[in-house]
């Protein structure tokens, strides 16, 4: 049920019905099904067939063959993207011949690879465990966040700024 106005003298409601029952918000519509549109409005806009105790009803409507749609729902407001964490900054210096250093999903060296963070990228430290650094990308290219090694085989791959 949707209200068309918040002003009491203009308030009206409408709803869609399937088999005599109101469809809840967010209900999926099926191709080819028949729905009924019911208007519940103030007395001034009721049709002759309706009375204050009986809502005005429009004829049944056959949906056009299309892909299933969801019933109208209020727009979703997404939260703003969080700001980069304010921690120590690191510069990626390794991986110049490979397009950067390897980024993994978790601290574990066996976790899935997410790609490479570019050489000369600047990252912000989110967490550090021994020679593993969890970062948030500030400048450069590659995964926005992940885990990298700051040292490998005796070579520095990232240095603290």
């Amino acid at each position: 049920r949707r209200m068309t106005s918040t002003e009491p003298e203009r308030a009206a409601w409408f709803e869609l019905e399937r088999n005599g029952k109101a469809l809840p918000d967010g209900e999926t519509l099926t191709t080819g099904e028949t729905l009924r549109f019911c208007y519940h409005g103030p007395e001034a806009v009721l049709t002759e067939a309706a009375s204050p105790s009986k809502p005005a009803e429009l004829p049944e409507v056959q949906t056009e063959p299309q892909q299933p749609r969801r019933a109208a729902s209020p727009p979703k407001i997404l939260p703003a993207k969080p700001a980069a964490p304010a921690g120590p900054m690191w510069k990626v210096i390794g991986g110049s011949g490979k397009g950067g250093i390897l980024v993994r999903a978790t601290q574990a060296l066996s976790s899935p690879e997410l790609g490479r963070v570019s050489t000369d990228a600047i990252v912000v430290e989110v967490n550090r465990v021994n020679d593993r650094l969890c970062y948030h990308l500030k400048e450069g290219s590659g995964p926005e966040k992940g885990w990298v090694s700051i040292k490998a085989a005796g070579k520095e791959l990232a240095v603290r700024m």
Side-chain angles (χ1 to χ4, degrees):
R1 191 177 261 206
R2 298 280 180 191
M3 192 163 87
T4 60
S5 175
T6 56
E7 299 172 32
E9 65 273 72
R10 294 184 164 185
W13 292 267
F14 64 90
E15 61 189 7
L16 291 176
E17 290 183 354
R18 179 188 292 137
N19 300 328
K21 294 182 182 177
L23 290 177
D25 287 347
E27 179 77 16
T28 301
L29 302 179
T30 307
T31 301
E33 73 179 316
T34 301
L35 301 175
R36 183 183 207 162
F37 179 86
C38 293
Y39 177 79
H40 307 270
E43 289 181 54
V45 293
L46 293 177
T47 64
E48 288 181 31
S51 68
S53 61
K54 179 181 175 191
E57 295 181 6
L58 297 178
E60 292 182 349
V61 177
Q62 178 72 31
T63 59
E64 294 183 17
Q66 294 177 356
Q67 294 197 354
R69 292 188 223 173
R70 294 185 61 84
S73 59
K76 293 183 180 179
I77 299 172
L78 300 175
K81 188 175 179 179
M89 290 198 282
W90 293 73
K91 182 173 183 171
V92 176
I93 59 171
S96 59
K98 298 179 180 182
I101 61 174
L102 191 60
V103 180
R104 294 194 179 269
T106 68
Q107 178 188 346
L109 294 172
S110 60
S111 69
E113 295 179 7
L114 301 178
R116 290 183 177 269
V117 63
S118 63
T119 303
D120 294 326
I122 306 296
V123 298
V124 179
E125 180 179 320
V126 175
N127 193 8
R128 183 174 170 201
V129 179
N130 300 322
D131 288 339
R132 299 287 289 155
L133 175 72
C134 180
Y135 76 89
H136 180 82
L137 185 63
K138 183 174 170 106
E139 294 177 19
S141 62
E144 189 174 315
K145 58 185 178 179
W147 286 83
V148 295
S149 294
I150 56 177
K151 289 182 188 174
K155 290 185 177 182
E156 284 191 321
L157 302 176
V159 291
R160 193 168 178 168
M161 298 177 66

